[in-house]
């Protein structure tokens, strides 16, 4: 197989052998549906799902009943909008706060409500000169979407302090944390953050695509947003149902079992990984010396993002691709921060445990050839 240098961890993490092994074993030897059978094989799958949930709960500092499976961060972020806006006490004149750090998946579902007159007003939170959320100017709002780490800037936000500041302005603010990039680099502690919701995708840390995590703090407060098999305990009549307890009441339909099976192995594989900061810092130093390259990220960020004067990001990506380097180019589904920077796209290098210094040197050489 052709060797490539894969530096696109922030878009899709390469899969550890343990994940592939666990999923192959599950599909080959252990497969059955979950929550539907009572034979030994089916019970084994129920246990597998429960163990995976417990592993995720421990990973983010939650209790297992607060962990809901989704198909990914985008699914989780859209589901939260439905959860909030279908409650009896939801007011269509509510305000929501977002920032220019947001990914389209975090902000568009709320702007879609605005577009259709289903929410009152959008507030854009200020960023400081280092593109961090300005804690001392957090506005009063009903809903607050917080990007824990931007997929362009790669810097961890002080989520706990941001939420505390938002609650000082409005004790009832509903806080939603998008931890899609944060999850690979920093320890998530939902209890310390005291957020209402938190999401991430399994594929950003080495699990397969198709599984995501939605943390819901007050599981009793929210009526489910999805209906179907597995979430109802008993139907009394057409409008009187007994729901299953959380988290099952939020999990209508068959779960992505194979992906759930792999997720604890992905979590385990992060243990001991240094974060690749030496590689990012090395490439930052080298690329800083090239005039045409304008670096956006700080030297200690979790990714290296830049643009090239006089060259479109997509052309750059094609030329790097021809040199067998896989990286991310374009607006990265983060249009607002590019707009703020006055550019229409950028180039991102992001590393995972499979990358080494030889990769970093190869990439720097390839970039020198492409921009000269
Ligand atoms: C910060 C951020 N939020 C949300 C998402 C959406 O993740 P997914 O496409 O896995 O749903 C991404 C993916 O790149 C991201 O980087």
């Amino acid at each position: 197989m052709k060797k490539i240098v894969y530096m696109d961890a922030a878009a899709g993490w390469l899969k550890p052998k343990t994940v592939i092994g666990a999923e192959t074993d599950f599909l080959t030897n252990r497969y059955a549906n979950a929550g539907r059978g009572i034979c030994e094989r089916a019970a084994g799958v129920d246990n597998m799902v429960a163990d995976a949930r417990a592993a995720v709960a421990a990973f983010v500092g939650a209790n297992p009943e607060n962990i809901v499976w989704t198909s990914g961060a985008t699914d989780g972020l859209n589901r939260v909008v439905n959860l909030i806006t279908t409650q009896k006490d939801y007011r269509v004149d509510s305000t929501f706060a977002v920032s220019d750090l947001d990914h389209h998946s975090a902000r568009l579902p709320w702007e879609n409500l605005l577009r259709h007159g289903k929410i009152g007003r959008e507030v854009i939170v200020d960023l400081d000169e280092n593109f961090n959320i300005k804690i001392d100017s957090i506005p009063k709002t009903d809903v607050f979407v917080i990007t824990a780490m931007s997929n362009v800037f790669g810097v961890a936000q002080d989520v706990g302090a941001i939420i505390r500041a938002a609650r000082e302005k409005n004790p009832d603010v509903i806080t939603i944390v998008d931890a899609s990039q944060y999850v690979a680099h920093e320890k998530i502690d939902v209890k310390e953050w005291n957020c209402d919701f938190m999401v991430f995708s399994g594929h950003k840390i080495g699990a397969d695509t198709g599984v995501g995590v939605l943390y819901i703090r007050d599981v009793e407060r929210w009526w489910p947003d999805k209906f179907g098999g597995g979430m109802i305990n008993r139907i009394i009549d057409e409008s009187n149902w007994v729901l299953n307890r959380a988290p099952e009441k939020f999990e209508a339909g068959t779960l992505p079992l194979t992906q759930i099976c792999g997720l604890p192995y992905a979590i385990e594989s992060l243990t001991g990984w240094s974060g690749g900061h030496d590689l990012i810092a090395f490439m930052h130093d080298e690329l800083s010396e090239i005039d045409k390259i304008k670096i956006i990220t700080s030297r200690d960020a979790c990714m290296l993002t830049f643009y090239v004067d006089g060259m479109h990001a997509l052309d750059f990506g094609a030329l790097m691709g021809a040199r067998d380097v896989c990286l991310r180019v374009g607006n990265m589904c983060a249009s607002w921060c590019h707009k703020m920077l006055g550019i229409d796209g950028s180039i991102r290098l992001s590393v995972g445990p499979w990358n080494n210094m030889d990769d970093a040197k190869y990439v720097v050489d390839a970039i020198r050839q492409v921009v000269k």
Side-chain angles (χ1 to χ4, degrees):
M1 207 186 351
K2 186 175 173 189
K3 185 176 169 348
I4 60 158
V5 175
Y6 188 87
M7 280 210 189
D8 204 6
W13 204 261
L14 296 186
K15 310 309 168 204
K17 285 199 174 70
T18 49
V19 171
I20 298 168
E23 293 194 4
T24 305
D25 178 50
F26 174 67
L27 287 169
T28 313
N29 303 314
R30 299 178 204 287
Y31 187 83
N33 207 338
R36 276 134 178 94
I38 49 168
C39 63
E40 196 182 330
R41 171 82 77 109
V45 179
D46 288 344
N47 289 340
M48 179 277 282
V49 172
D51 290 348
R53 202 187 300 275
V56 169
F59 180 56
V60 302
N63 298 327
E65 63 268 25
N66 303 93
I67 299 297
V68 173
W69 304 118
T70 64
S71 69
T74 303
D75 183 36
L77 289 159
N78 279 274
R79 288 189 61 185
V80 169
V81 175
N82 292 335
L83 277 169
I84 295 172
T85 56
T86 54
Q87 303 302 311
K88 277 204 199 95
D89 59 354
Y90 173 70
R91 297 187 343 262
V92 287
D93 65 345
S94 299
T95 53
F96 67 99
V98 292
S99 80
D100 287 344
L101 299 179
D102 297 330
H103 188 275
H104 293 175
S105 298
R107 184 155 151 185
L108 286 181
W110 291 99
E111 293 193 342
N112 184 49
L113 292 179
L114 194 63
R115 209 189 146 125
H116 291 93
K118 302 268 167 50
I119 199 161
R121 200 164 52 89
E122 176 180 64
V123 184
I124 313 288
V125 172
D126 292 340
L127 302 181
D128 67 16
E129 62 286 1
N130 298 316
F131 310 117
N132 293 317
I133 289 175
K134 240 181 169 174
I135 294 182
D136 54 11
S137 64
I138 281 175
K140 179 171 191 269
T141 179
D142 299 305
V143 174
F144 192 177
V145 181
I146 301 156
T147 295
M149 179 182 285
S150 138
N151 62 327
V152 174
F153 297 115
V155 174
Q157 299 301 300
D158 189 345
V159 178
I162 292 168
I163 291 179
R164 281 191 294 279
R167 291 233 166 85
E168 271 173 30
K169 296 281 168 58
N170 176 11
D172 298 325
V173 60
I174 302 172
T175 53
I176 305 155
V177 181
D178 176 4
S180 300
Q181 294 297 333
Y182 192 98
V183 62
H185 298 280
E186 301 283 341
K187 175 86 188 108
I188 295 175
D189 187 341
V190 287
K191 288 203 179 132
E192 194 272 320
W193 288 353
N194 197 15
C195 51
D196 293 272
F197 300 98
M198 181 279 299
V199 304
F200 69 86
S201 292
H203 75 90
K204 301 281 193 204
I205 54 171
D208 203 351
T209 48
V211 66
V213 168
L214 166 61
Y215 162 81
I216 303 180
R217 189 188 59 187
D218 303 321
V219 285
E220 297 308 325
R221 173 175 175 187
W222 307 104
W223 184 256
D225 59 316
K226 283 174 112 176
F227 301 88
M231 49 82 67
I232 285 276
N233 177 285
R234 211 153 34 95
I235 293 192
I236 298 165
D237 63 34
E238 73 277 12
S239 61
N240 195 2
W241 317 325
V242 180
L243 301 181
N244 277 337
R245 294 178 67 79
E248 283 82 10
K249 72 171 182 178
F250 297 111
E251 292 177 347
T254 298
L255 296 170
L257 297 170
T258 313
Q259 294 87 335
I260 290 172
C261 168
L263 184 51
Y265 295 88
I267 290 173
E268 181 65 38
S269 77
L270 293 176
T271 310
W273 181 53
S274 68
H277 295 289
D278 51 336
L279 307 186
I280 297 289
F282 168 78
M283 293 190 290
H284 194 283
D285 292 345
E286 295 290 315
L287 298 187
S288 305
E289 288 173 7
I290 305 175
D291 282 347
K292 278 191 208 161
I293 291 192
K294 309 293 172 202
I295 299 181
I296 295 167
T297 40
S298 58
R299 190 175 183 272
D300 57 358
C302 295
M303 48 197 73
L304 174 52
T305 309
F306 57 95
Y307 60 96
V308 183
D309 245 358
M311 187 184 281
H312 197 284
L314 299 185
D315 293 335
F316 180 91
L319 292 166
M320 290 299 283
R323 285 164 177 77
D324 302 323
V325 177
C326 192
L327 43 68
R328 180 78 201 264
V329 293
N331 72 18
M332 298 186 213
C333 305
S335 297
W336 299 284
C337 82
H338 286 95
K339 213 165 146 194
M340 169 179 76
L341 295 167
I343 53 177
D344 57 8
S346 61
I347 300 147
R348 181 183 70 198
L349 295 163
S350 55
V351 301
W354 55 87
N355 290 121
N356 56 31
M357 198 46 95
D358 287 343
D359 292 346
K361 288 180 181 157
Y362 180 88
V363 167
V364 168
D365 281 348
I367 292 175
R368 283 211 176 92
Q369 291 166 27
V370 165
V371 301
K372 85 165 179 290

